[in-house]
C-alpha cells in the first residue's frame, strides 16, 4: 500500500520541480548566447510537464479506493498541517471512549445496586427474575 | 418511550384507561386485554432491533424483555489498543505537531502557508467547481509551442511573488540533490528576532545546565514525582 503512495509522491515531486524550474526560466529571461538553450529547455519542460501529468493520471487507477475526509482539505486550505486533523481525531476518539466507558461503568454499578435493593424489597419476584435472566456477572 | 406512546395513543382503545391500567397508583398493574397485542406490535417495530415473541414477554413480569445481544466491542475497551493505534497516538499526540503546512511539506516551493482563498487556489473550490477539461493529455506540437515564446526582461510585479520561497531552516541532514538558488524574500522582523533568540540560547550552555539543576531540585522537593506524561492514554482508566 505504501508503494503506490511512494510512486505518486515521486511523480508529484518531479512535476513540481519541473514547474519550479519553468518558473525560474520565465521569471527573468535575458537575451544572451544561451537563448537557444533556454528555449530548448523551455520546450522540453513543457512536454515533460504534459508527460508528468500523464504519469500522475496513471497513478489514479491504483488509488481509486482511497478516501480522504473533506475536513482535511479545510486544514490544507487554511495553511495548517493535516497531521493536526489526525491528532484531533485521535484525541476526540479517546475522549469519547473514556466518556462512554464512564457511562457503562456507572450504569453497571446502578444495575447491581438496583438488583440488590429490589431483592431486599421484592425477594420472591427478584428470585424469579434471576431464574429467567441468570445471575448478573460481576462488574 | 415506544411503550408509553402505545399505551397512551391507541385509536382503537375502549374508553379512557384509568391510572390503574397504566400501572400508576395502585400496586401491581393490570395487564391490558385488547390493547395488549397492538401495543406490543408497536414495540416490536423497533429501530433496527430484533422482533421479539409477544407471548413470552408478559410472563412472569409485565414488559419483561430479553436482554440485548452483547457486543464484544464496546466503549468499555480501549479502542486505541484494540485497533493497534498506540504508535500512531504516541506519534501524533505524544510529540508536538507543527502548525504550518510548510512543516509537513518542507520541499514544496512557494508560499503554501497562506490560505488558499486569498489567491483562489483552495482545494475546496476545486472540488466544488472542477475545471472543465478533455479526457486525455496530448503533447504540444511545435506550432503550439510558438504560442509560449519568452520575452526578455523580468516578470511584472504582480506575478513575481509566485516563485519566492519562505526562508529555509538549517537542517542537520544535508540533502543529496541541490536546487538552483531561488530568490529569497527580504527578512521579516519576526524572522530576525527569532534568529536573535536562537543565538542567545546557543551562546549560553551554562544556562541550560543551571535550568536542569533547578528542575532536579524542584523534583526532589515536590511531593508528587512526575511519572507518565499527560499526553499518553491513561490505561488504568480504560481497563
Amino acid at each position: 500500500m505504501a508503494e503506490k503512495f511512494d510512486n505518486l509522491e515521486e511523480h508529484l515531486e518531479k512535476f513540481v520541480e519541473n514547474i519550479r524550474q519553468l518558473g525560474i526560466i520565465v521569471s527573468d529571461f535575458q537575451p544572451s548566447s544561451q537563448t537557444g538553450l533556454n528555449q530548448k529547455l523551455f520546450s522540453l519542460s513543457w512536454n515533460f510537464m504534459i508527460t508528468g501529468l500523464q504519469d500522475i493520471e496513471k497513478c489514479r487507477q491504483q488509488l481509486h479506493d482511497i478516501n480522504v475526509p473533506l475536513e482535511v482539505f479545510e486544514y490544507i486550505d487554511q495553511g495548517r498541517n493535516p497531521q493536526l486533523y489526525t491528532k484531533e481525531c485521535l484525541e476526540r476518539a479517546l475522549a469519547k471512549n473514556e466518556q462512554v466507558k464512564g457511562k457503562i461503568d456507572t450504569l453497571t454499578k446502578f444495575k447491581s445496586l438496583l438488583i440488590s435493593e429490589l431483592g431486599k424489597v421484592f425477594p420472591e419476584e427478584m428470585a424469579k427474575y434471576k431464574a429467567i435472566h441468570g445471575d448478573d456477572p460481576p462488574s | 418511550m415506544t411503550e408509553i406512546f402505545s399505551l397512551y395513543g391507541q385509536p382503537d382503545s375502549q374508553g379512557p384507561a384509568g391510572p390503574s391500567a397504566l400501572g400508576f397508583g395502585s400496586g401491581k398493574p393490570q395487564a391490558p386485554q385488547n390493547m395488549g397485542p397492538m401495543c406490543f406490535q408497536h414495540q416490536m417495530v423497533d429501530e433496527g432491533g430484533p422482533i421479539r415473541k409477544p407471548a413470552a414477554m408478559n410472563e412472569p413480569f409485565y414488559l419483561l424483555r430479553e436482554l440485548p445481544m452483547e457486543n464484544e466491542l464496546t466503549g468499555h475497551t480501549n479502542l486505541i489498543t484494540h485497533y493497534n493505534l498506540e504508535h500512531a497516538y504516541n506519534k501524533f499526540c505524544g510529540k508536538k505537531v507543527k502548525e504550518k503546512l510548510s512543516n509537513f511539506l518542507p520541499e514544496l516551493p512557494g508560499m503554501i502557508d497562506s490560505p488558499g482563498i486569498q489567491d483562489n487556489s483552495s482545494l475546496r473550490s476545486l472540488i466544488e467547481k472542477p475545471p472543465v477539461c478533455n479526457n486525455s493529455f496530448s503533447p504540444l506540437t511545435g506550432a503550439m509551442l510558438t504560442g509560449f515564446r519568452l520575452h526578455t526582461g523580468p516578470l511584472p510585479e504582480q506575478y513575481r511573488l509566485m516563485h519566492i520561497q519562505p526562508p529555509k531552516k538549517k537542517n542537520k541532514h544535508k540533502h543529496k540533490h541541490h536546487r538552483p538558488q531561488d530568490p529569497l524574500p527580504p527578512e521579516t522582523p519576526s524572522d530576525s528576532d527569532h534568529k536573535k533568540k536562537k543565538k542567545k540560547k546557543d551562546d549560553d550552555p551554562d544556562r541550560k545546565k543551571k535550568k536542569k539543576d533547578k528542575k532536579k531540585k524542584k523534583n526532589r522537593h515536590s511531593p508528587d514525582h512526575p511519572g507518565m506524561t499527560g499526553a499518553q492514554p491513561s490505561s488504568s482508566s480504560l481497563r
Side-chain angles (χ1 to χ4, degrees):
Chain A
M1 177 139 169
E3 290 174 357
K4 48 190 176 182
F5 287 121
D6 291 338
N7 193 25
L8 177 65
E9 197 177 332
E10 191 186 330
H11 285 303
L12 284 169
E13 279 179 357
K14 281 182 188 173
F15 183 74
V16 167
E17 179 61 26
N18 188 40
I19 295 284
R20 197 182 68 85
Q21 286 180 7
L22 266 173
I24 292 166
I25 293 169
V26 167
S27 65
D28 196 2
F29 187 69
Q30 297 294 334
S32 63
S33 59
Q34 292 184 348
T35 303
L37 180 68
N38 280 341
Q39 281 285 2
K40 191 181 174 185
L41 278 171
F42 187 65
S43 59
L44 276 174
S45 300
W46 268 114
N47 281 321
F48 188 73
M49 194 173 78
I50 290 158
T51 53
L53 284 169
Q54 286 172 337
D55 293 335
I56 290 166
E57 200 188 11
K58 283 173 193 170
C59 296
R60 199 176 71 169
Q61 294 168 4
Q62 295 174 343
L63 299 163
H64 66 276
D65 56 341
I66 302 294
N67 295 316
V68 180
L70 282 172
E71 289 176 6
V72 179
F73 293 148
E74 289 178 10
Y75 277 69
I76 295 167
D77 287 340
Q78 291 166 14
R80 296 177 70 196
N81 193 342
Q83 288 178 336
L84 289 169
Y85 171 76
T86 312
K87 180 185 172 184
E88 286 178 18
C89 274
L90 285 165
E91 285 174 348
R92 268 185 275 154
L94 186 68
K96 190 74 183 177
N97 199 168
E98 288 181 346
Q99 192 186 28
V100 171
K101 185 183 181 292
K103 283 182 184 176
I104 291 170
D105 288 341
T106 310
L107 286 168
T108 309
K109 283 177 191 172
F110 173 69
K111 183 187 173 185
S112 59
L113 197 66
L114 183 67
I115 285 171
S116 69
E117 292 298 321
L118 281 171
K120 292 174 191 173
V121 179
F122 303 112
E124 292 175 0
E125 284 82 359
M126 287 312 294
K128 285 182 193 174
Y129 176 82
K130 282 180 184 175
I132 293 165
H133 280 150
D135 289 328
D136 290 322
S139 59
Chain B
M1 289 300 290
T2 52
E3 301 108 69
I4 294 168
F5 266 108
S6 63
L7 288 169
Y8 275 106
Q10 278 297 324
D12 297 331
S13 62
Q14 297 174 354
S20 59
L22 298 171
F24 297 121
S26 61
K28 293 181 184 178
Q30 295 175 10
Q33 294 168 2
N34 291 333
M35 288 165 64
M38 294 218 33
C39 75
F40 281 117
Q41 278 176 7
H42 243 286
Q43 292 163 30
M44 280 163 61
V45 183
D46 211 347
E47 295 129 1
I51 297 170
R52 301 184 185 89
K53 294 177 185 177
M57 293 171 75
N58 280 330
E59 297 177 2
F61 299 111
Y62 180 64
L63 292 179
L64 180 68
R65 289 189 169 208
E66 292 176 9
L67 288 174
M69 298 288 291
E70 285 187 8
N71 285 330
E72 290 180 3
L73 188 64
T74 61
H76 200 267
T77 55
N78 188 342
L79 295 171
I80 288 176
T81 51
H82 179 80
Y83 287 107
N84 297 322
L85 292 171
E86 286 168 327
H87 178 69
Y89 185 86
N90 291 328
K91 182 185 167 187
F92 291 106
C93 301
K95 302 171 194 173
K96 191 181 176 184
V97 178
K98 291 182 182 176
E99 182 74 23
K100 291 183 183 177
L101 184 59
S102 54
N103 297 121
F104 180 67
L105 297 167
E107 296 186 355
L108 207 63
M111 304 289 284
I112 60 173
D113 293 332
S114 56
I117 297 168
Q118 286 178 0
D119 53 359
N120 202 22
S121 64
S122 64
L123 292 168
R124 195 81 183 177
S125 61
L126 197 67
I127 292 163
E128 287 171 358
K129 289 181 186 177
V132 179
C133 53
N134 293 330
N135 292 329
S136 61
F137 295 103
S138 53
L140 295 170
T141 59
M144 289 180 188
L145 277 171
T146 55
F148 295 100
R149 267 183 242 166
L150 295 174
H151 292 280
T152 58
L155 275 175
E157 284 188 12
Q158 55 183 326
Y159 302 115
R160 273 188 203 168
L161 291 170
M162 288 172 71
H163 60 278
I164 289 173
Q165 285 186 351
K168 288 182 182 177
K169 291 181 183 177
K170 289 182 184 177
N171 290 325
K172 289 181 183 177
H173 302 286
K174 291 180 183 178
H175 293 286
K176 287 182 183 178
H177 54 274
H178 296 280
R179 289 180 182 167
Q181 288 181 357
D182 293 329
L184 295 174
E187 284 187 2
T188 56
S190 62
D191 290 337
S192 59
D193 291 335
H194 186 63
K195 284 181 182 176
K196 283 179 185 174
K197 282 177 186 175
K198 271 190 174 178
K199 279 184 180 177
K200 278 184 182 177
K201 283 181 182 177
D202 292 335
D203 292 334
D204 296 328
D206 294 332
R207 274 191 188 180
K208 287 182 185 176
K209 286 182 185 176
K210 284 179 186 176
K211 280 183 183 177
K212 281 183 183 176
D213 290 333
K214 280 183 185 177
K215 276 185 183 177
K216 281 181 185 175
K217 283 181 185 175
K218 278 184 185 177
N219 287 335
R220 279 177 203 164
H221 295 294
S222 65
D224 297 323
H225 288 282
M228 299 274 280
T229 58
Q232 289 182 2
S234 55
S235 58
S236 60
S237 65
L238 289 173
R239 279 183 188 167

